[in-house]
Amino acid sequence: MEEKKVMLSGIQPSGDLHLGNYLGPLRHWPEMIEEFDCYFFLADLHTITVRQDPAQLRRRVLTQVAQYIACGLDPEKCTLFIQSHVPAHAQLGWVLDCYTMFGELSRMTQFKDKAAKQKENINAGLFTYPALMAADILLYQPDFVPVGEDQKQHVEICRDIAERFNGIYGEVFKIPAPHIPKVGARIMSLNDPSSKMSKSNLEGCVTLMDKPEDILRKFKRAVTDSDTERCVRFAPQEKPGVSNLIQIYAAVTGKSFEEIEEAFAGKGYGAFKPAVGEAVVETLRPIREETERLLADKAYLEGVYKAGAERASRVAEKTLRKVYKKVGFVPRG
């Protein structure tokens, strides 16, 4: 039987998971388990480049573990773990810092964006996080890393670091290829359709744990368009607000844009917005309810993330030992 290729992916628990996360990467992850040997992690080490409330961070990490499972990730079929539970991430991150060039880090778009937003806290971790991200990936020798448009630069620098290290010491790291997943819907903010849905804009964002009444309220208030036509038609340039709602409705119902336009012909936005809200409520209801059930079973959750960390550590430490030997560290014995 042919061995499965290895796939790795993770999300920062820097805020509550939202509809954009779910309709983008998350709902496609369970399909990947069938095709690949998958590692899914919660990138909590990365979150502290921005100041976090410790109690809130712990809450979000545990909630996110439960949500991964509620969204269909079977812990028996994949490795599900918390990044900070596997020390090899930070250990390899430091080694790779020493093989990553200042100029490469200076060119990273995300550093420039974040530095502009938090001028009072432009810390070293914010600058060097691509080396830690490379460690996250390379420890598990994955064949593929799923990437969206905003992550391509990270996979490119990871490949550059790995090739540089291999060029000096031989074939230590497998060079991962970017994997373009099935096109997830690119969900925009409900109150600002020019920007992606984000946890930093709560009124424009629907989280996986929002109550049904809050979801319906947000959709009723969603920005549509100021045109006089007021018809439900997919036209992203002319009608970005309505087009965003059509995309959401299509993603949660499986209907085509044409079917949606036909179903709401002559009904206007007043009928369409609540219909989208209700469809989203029913899509997220089982995820919210299963997450709440799992959070009430702390022993089960702890068992999942402990077992995941043990499995991940076995693979990660094998790579780390190889790296330490190559750079000349004395083995602990």
Side-chain angles (χ1 to χ4, degrees):
M1 186 174 162
E2 193 181 342
E3 211 170 283
K4 286 182 174 180
K5 301 282 189 185
V6 177
M7 171 82 80
L8 174 133
S9 194
I11 296 176
Q12 281 193 45
S14 53
D16 295 324
L17 291 178
H18 56 72
L19 185 65
N21 298 132
Y22 177 67
L23 296 180
L26 253 177
R27 70 170 175 169
H28 297 296
W29 282 2
E31 299 162 22
M32 290 181 181
I33 292 174
E34 304 306 320
E35 188 179 350
F36 301 104
D37 179 10
C38 289
Y39 293 80
F40 297 111
F41 68 100
L42 290 83
D44 58 338
L45 293 176
H46 285 284
T47 63
I48 63 168
T49 59
V50 177
R51 293 284 176 265
Q52 301 291 329
D53 175 280
Q56 287 299 316
L57 179 57
R58 281 190 285 271
R59 177 194 66 78
R60 284 198 305 268
V61 167
L62 292 175
T63 301
Q64 198 164 305
V65 171
Q67 287 173 326
Y68 277 11
I69 300 167
C71 287
L73 292 185
D74 182 345
E76 298 298 319
K77 294 183 176 179
C78 65
T79 304
L80 175 55
F81 66 99
I82 298 167
Q83 183 189 26
S84 62
H85 288 183
V86 182
H89 284 256
Q91 292 170 294
L92 182 59
W94 168 250
V95 174
L96 297 185
D97 270 340
C98 302
Y99 292 82
T100 307
M101 300 301 112
F102 185 88
E104 290 173 315
L105 296 173
S106 301
R107 290 191 290 274
M108 295 301 289
T109 306
Q110 209 171 85
F111 168 70
K112 293 173 188 172
D113 292 347
K114 284 195 174 180
K117 287 175 187 168
Q118 55 183 76
K119 290 190 172 74
E120 75 297 339
N121 183 26
I122 304 175
N123 56 71
L126 195 65
F127 187 65
T128 64
Y129 78 89
L132 176 58
M133 195 173 281
D136 298 336
I137 295 168
L138 298 174
L139 278 171
Y140 301 95
Q141 307 285 3
D143 298 277
F144 300 106
V145 181
V147 287
E149 279 300 317
D150 55 348
Q151 293 294 322
K152 280 183 180 172
Q153 200 179 21
H154 294 123
V155 177
E156 285 165 9
I157 194 171
C158 172
R159 287 168 58 90
D160 290 343
I161 295 166
E163 285 168 353
R164 180 177 299 126
F165 196 92
N166 286 356
I168 299 168
Y169 299 109
E171 296 303 306
V172 178
F173 297 123
K174 185 179 284 186
I175 308 299
H179 177 265
I180 310 303
K182 284 184 182 175
V183 179
R186 183 178 166 82
I187 304 303
M188 312 307 279
S189 168
L190 297 184
N191 63 3
D192 178 13
S194 67
S195 62
K196 274 176 70 174
M197 184 173 283
S198 163
K199 42 217 169 195
S200 63
N201 174 4
L202 288 176
E203 274 308 299
C205 174
V206 171
T207 77
L208 300 193
M209 301 305 285
D210 273 351
K211 293 174 182 171
E213 59 268 28
D214 293 329
I215 295 173
L216 290 171
R217 176 179 54 79
K218 288 177 183 179
F219 274 99
K220 283 174 184 172
R221 292 182 180 176
V223 169
T224 44
D225 302 292
S226 56
D227 63 335
T228 53
E229 185 185 18
R230 299 193 68 76
C231 74
V232 176
R233 181 167 63 84
F234 188 76
Q237 298 304 315
E238 304 161 48
K239 300 162 77 73
V242 172
S243 298
N244 185 41
L245 294 178
I246 290 173
Q247 182 155 261
I248 292 170
Y249 195 61
V252 298
T253 63
K255 295 180 189 295
S256 69
F257 295 166
E258 293 77 18
E259 286 172 322
I260 294 166
E261 289 173 1
E262 193 176 316
F264 289 91
K267 293 183 181 175
Y269 304 155
F272 182 53
K273 290 200 287 185
V276 182
E278 283 161 15
V280 169
V281 164
E282 293 312 311
T283 298
L284 297 186
R285 187 189 302 279
I287 295 170
R288 188 188 75 252
E289 290 174 354
E290 179 64 1
T291 299
E292 288 169 349
R293 188 190 70 77
L294 290 166
L295 285 170
D297 190 348
K298 289 186 168 54
Y300 171 74
L301 275 187
E302 188 176 320
V304 167
Y305 63 69
K306 275 188 172 179
E310 285 167 12
R311 282 203 301 271
S313 291
R314 282 195 293 273
V315 176
E317 284 165 9
K318 185 178 175 185
T319 300
L320 187 67
R321 282 196 299 272
K322 190 187 290 187
V323 169
Y324 273 17
K325 184 178 181 183
K326 292 290 187 181
V327 300
F329 292 161
V330 175
R332 192 172 62 182

